[in-house]
Amino acid sequence: MDVSEAIKNRRSVRAYKPEPVPEEKLRKVLEAARLAPSAHNAQERKFIVVRDEEIRKKLAEAAGQGFVGEAPVVIVAVSLNPEDIMSSGVPAFAVDLAIAVDHMTLQAVEEGLGTCWIGAFSQEKVKEILKVPAQYKVVALLPLGFPADKPALKSRKSFEEIICFEE
Ligand SMILES: Cc1cc2nc3c(=O)[nH]c(=O)nc-3n(C[C@H](O)[C@H](O)[C@H](O)COP(=O)(O)O)c2cc1C
C-alpha cells in the first residue's frame, strides 16, 4: 500500500473485533511512531502499550468512551517535555506527538487495523491509571484493533476553502 492509499483509506474506527493484534503488526505500528520526526529531534515521548483488559476498561472510563476499552490494544502517547514552546509560540510537544500518532494511524491502515484518535479524556485519571509522572502530558489515547465495521468517509472542506496561494 502506498502512502496516498493509506491516507485515503484511514477512518476513525469506533468498533473493534475482540481478536488480538498480532505482535508483528503491533511492532510495525509502534515503529512508525519511533521513526516520526520531532522538533530538534528531541524525541521527548513515550508510548504505553496497554493490552490488559482491566486497564483498558479503566482508560475507557477516563475517556467516557466505552469503545476505547473494546479495542484489544490502546496505545497511550505521552510527552516528556510539555513545556517546550518553539520560537513561533507553538507548543512543540503537541505537534511532535500528533505526527507520531498520525504515523501510527497510517501504518495501522497498511496492517489492516483500525485506530481512533482519542483527545477527550481526563488527564488526571489517565495519569493515575498508568502511573505517568505529573510533569509529563498525556496527549492521546489510540485504540488499535481489527475494525468491526467500515466507517463511511467523513466530509472535508473543499480544496478552495482551505488552500491559499501566496497570501
Ligand atoms: C485531536 C483529535 C481529537 C479527537 N478526539 C476524539 C475523541 O475523543 N473521540 C472520538 O471518538 N474521536 C475523536 N477524534 C476523531 C475525529 O472525530 C475524527 O477524526 C473526525 O470526525 C474525522 O473522521 P475520520 O477520522 O473518520 O476521517 C479526534 C480526532 C482528532 C484529530
Side-chain angles (χ1 to χ4, degrees):
M1 185 180 286
D2 66 24
V3 178
S4 306
E5 210 181 327
I7 290 170
K8 281 182 191 147
N9 285 323
R10 188 209 54 80
R11 303 278 186 284
S12 288
V13 171
R14 298 185 178 88
Y16 297 92
K17 294 179 181 168
E19 64 189 91
V21 174
E23 205 57 37
E24 190 190 306
K25 287 182 182 289
L26 175 60
R27 187 85 198 187
K28 282 191 187 165
V29 169
L30 296 169
E31 185 65 4
R34 192 182 73 81
L35 294 175
S38 59
H40 310 295
N41 199 26
Q43 305 169 64
E44 295 270 22
R45 55 201 178 197
K46 290 233 182 198
F47 302 91
I48 306 172
V49 178
V50 179
R51 284 175 285 202
D52 181 276
E53 190 177 356
E54 206 177 307
I55 304 176
R56 286 190 279 119
K57 299 282 180 212
K58 283 186 190 166
L59 290 175
E61 218 176 286
Q65 305 185 65
F67 75 89
V68 172
E70 280 155 29
V73 179
V74 181
I75 299 169
V76 181
V78 182
S79 168
L80 310 184
N81 185 11
E83 306 305 326
D84 186 17
I85 311 281
M86 295 180 282
S87 56
S88 60
V90 176
F93 83 95
V95 180
D96 287 349
L97 270 290
I99 297 168
V101 173
D102 202 51
H103 272 203
M104 290 196 281
T105 68
L106 296 179
Q107 185 68 45
V109 175
E110 162 129 12
E111 304 307 321
L113 295 164
T115 56
C116 183
W117 181 302
I118 303 295
F121 57 85
S122 159
Q123 183 71 221
E124 289 68 33
K125 284 183 188 160
V126 170
K127 274 185 176 165
E128 192 185 322
I129 295 163
L130 301 175
K131 304 183 180 74
V132 173
Q135 70 271 25
Y136 297 167
K137 182 81 96 184
V138 178
V139 176
L141 313 182
L142 193 73
L144 174 77
F146 290 101
D149 60 13
K150 172 100 173 95
L153 181 65
K154 287 269 186 77
S155 68
R156 292 291 193 266
K157 291 181 180 176
S158 70
F159 190 91
E160 290 69 28
E161 271 180 288
I162 64 160
I163 309 295
C164 305
F165 292 99
E166 313 332 326
E167 60 180 38

